[in-house]
Amino acid sequence: MRVRIFELRLIAAALTVLWATAAVLVLVGYRPGGPIDLLVGLAAGLAVPIPLLALRWPPAARGPHAFAAIVWLGLGSTLLLVPSIGGVVNQLVARGPQTLVPSLEFAYPWILALLATALFAGLGIARQVLGETALRRDRLAAGAVIALVVSTVVGSAFTAAALADDAALRGRAVTSSRFGPTGMNGEPPRCDAPLAAGPDAFVTLGASAVVDTHPLGSVALTGVRDGGDFRWNAQVATQRVLGLFGAARKGGAAWTLEPRRQWQPAGLASADGLDLDAQLVRAALGVTQRVAAENRGVETIEGARSRHCRIAIDGPTFAAAFPAVDYFAGDGADLHRWRGELDYWVFLDGQLGRAAGSLNGPASSLDVAGVQSTLSVTLDALDRDTPITVVAPS
């Protein structure tokens, strides 16, 4: 019995660490600019005492089947929390602590994890209150009631704080935003609604790659696009290439820029697929590719209201959407076994304003030693309603 109690306390300790990590991330990194941002972070910490109770009073059971069920209950909560915390980390890394009105797709793993953790702790509390000699049916019923009450109170407190903060932000006057319209009372289009790139855009893109946690370099790109005309420069430092690269298209002419060389005229076909956010929409965000898009909720980014969506993506599509991948993988690299996710934000004007994607696959595809590789890309398309003129390289 002592061994079982020790194992259950290990699970409770792991749950405590995970819930505390989530609370610290929200408290420290989640700053949409609302008047009660701090209160939202404190409300996120209300879940931390729940697994602490399980650590104090583990939900021990004598029967092997009952014990196995309790262990799987705790492990299931852990398996729900780990990717959910990863999603929060990705959101913060994507350069935008934003206010969030949770959608069902975004909230359900947290709800299930909270219910499972509360039931895990509730069974231990019921055993402590009713005693070991009480009928198992009575302990289970009492634990379920405790779990329902605790999860309802904690979930309601956090949701109320987050919604109140979001409502306060909606009422705040914002005159302009580089991300898009600032009408806070509007509702952004659905994830599967028609989506377009803006007529013009100032685009920033950052890309990085790691192999087994070892960095392979980075790409920092800035550029402008006016319809089909564009021009961009990219500072590249990867395991394959180093230096300043660029591409431009103006009317019926195209140019390329390579390290230690000036801008050189190039065939018009060389500029195909290099028009930044417009290429991303064409290659990865077509109507059929967004049929099963996940609605992650409504967010406010620098005063502009948007809908956060997510789709699954494969390697060839990712490489076509983000040509900067070639700086890591090389032109024509075989990425068919790679899989990942692409997050995108649709603003009130129905246009793409932000995207963040990650892709995982074998290190051999990048011609480097290792096992697992990860490619990450973020893109912002700003000032889409501002006329922009592309200047041809001299």
Side-chain angles (χ1 to χ4, degrees):
M1 193 64 176
R2 290 182 178 178
V3 174
R4 290 185 176 182
I5 291 177
F6 177 73
E7 292 172 347
L8 292 172
R9 280 180 168 155
L10 281 180
I11 295 175
L15 288 172
T16 302
V17 171
L18 290 173
W19 280 110
T21 301
V24 169
L25 285 172
V26 175
L27 181 63
V28 175
Y30 199 66
R31 286 292 184 273
I36 55 172
D37 288 349
L38 182 60
L39 183 60
V40 175
L42 294 175
L46 294 177
V48 178
I50 300 176
L52 284 175
L53 292 173
L55 190 62
R56 176 65 178 85
W57 298 308
R62 295 188 178 278
H65 298 295
F67 175 73
I70 292 174
V71 169
W72 278 110
L73 178 66
L75 293 178
S77 181
T78 302
L79 294 175
L80 287 167
L81 280 172
V82 170
S84 299
I85 293 173
V88 173
V89 172
N90 289 337
Q91 181 176 346
L92 298 178
V93 170
R95 309 188 314 277
Q98 306 99 13
T99 184
L100 178 68
V101 180
S103 63
L104 180 60
E105 293 93 331
F106 182 90
Y108 83 85
W110 292 102
I111 296 173
L112 292 178
L114 181 60
L115 283 170
T117 304
L119 182 57
F120 187 79
L123 292 174
I125 296 172
R127 181 174 179 269
Q128 177 69 21
V129 173
L130 299 179
E132 297 182 12
T133 59
L135 293 176
R136 183 179 297 171
R137 180 179 63 252
D138 295 338
R139 296 203 306 267
L140 179 59
V145 171
I146 293 172
L148 184 60
V149 172
V150 170
S151 58
T152 299
V153 171
V154 173
S156 299
F158 177 77
T159 301
L163 290 177
D165 200 35
D166 183 68
L169 276 172
R170 292 193 194 188
R172 180 178 295 177
V174 179
T175 58
S176 63
S177 172
R178 300 190 68 189
F179 280 94
T182 57
M184 300 300 292
N185 294 322
E187 191 68 16
R190 302 186 313 273
C191 293
D192 59 353
L195 174 66
D200 301 271
F202 174 81
V203 179
T204 62
L205 180 146
S208 62
V210 297
V211 171
D212 301 335
T213 72
H214 300 294
L216 291 182
S218 62
V219 176
L221 181 152
T222 58
V224 293
R225 183 182 55 78
D226 175 17
D229 297 338
F230 65 87
R231 177 174 175 173
W232 52 261
N233 292 344
Q235 294 282 354
V236 179
T238 72
Q239 86 284 8
R240 299 181 63 88
V241 291
L242 175 67
L244 179 64
F245 291 80
R249 181 172 63 196
K250 176 76 171 179
W255 298 261
T256 59
L257 177 65
E258 296 181 355
R260 296 177 297 279
R261 297 183 63 186
Q262 300 294 324
W263 285 95
Q264 299 292 325
L268 196 59
S270 66
D272 291 344
L274 300 181
D275 48 350
L276 305 169
D277 56 320
Q279 171 64 10
L280 171 58
V281 172
R282 283 194 304 268
L285 298 176
V287 174
T288 58
Q289 294 159 311
R290 293 183 289 112
V291 169
E294 178 184 354
N295 180 8
R296 304 288 291 177
V298 177
E299 300 179 3
T300 302
I301 304 178
E302 295 186 11
R305 197 162 172 79
S306 67
R307 188 176 302 280
H308 179 184
C309 308
R310 175 177 292 172
I311 60 171
I313 192 169
D314 58 28
T317 304
F318 194 90
F322 299 107
V325 169
D326 290 347
Y327 294 126
F328 299 97
D331 187 17
D334 183 9
L335 302 179
H336 75 278
R337 290 183 291 173
W338 290 57
R339 296 294 184 270
E341 295 176 333
L342 175 63
D343 288 25
Y344 61 98
W345 285 257
V346 187
F347 290 79
L348 291 172
D349 53 11
Q351 297 173 3
L352 174 73
R354 167 170 286 182
S358 64
L359 197 68
N360 298 293
S364 58
S365 300
L366 304 185
D367 292 330
V368 294
V371 178
Q372 181 76 9
S373 301
T374 300
L375 289 166
S376 301
V377 181
T378 59
L379 178 146
D380 284 342
L382 310 172
D383 296 329
R384 301 184 308 278
D385 59 349
T386 302
I388 294 175
T389 300
V390 174
V391 178
S394 58

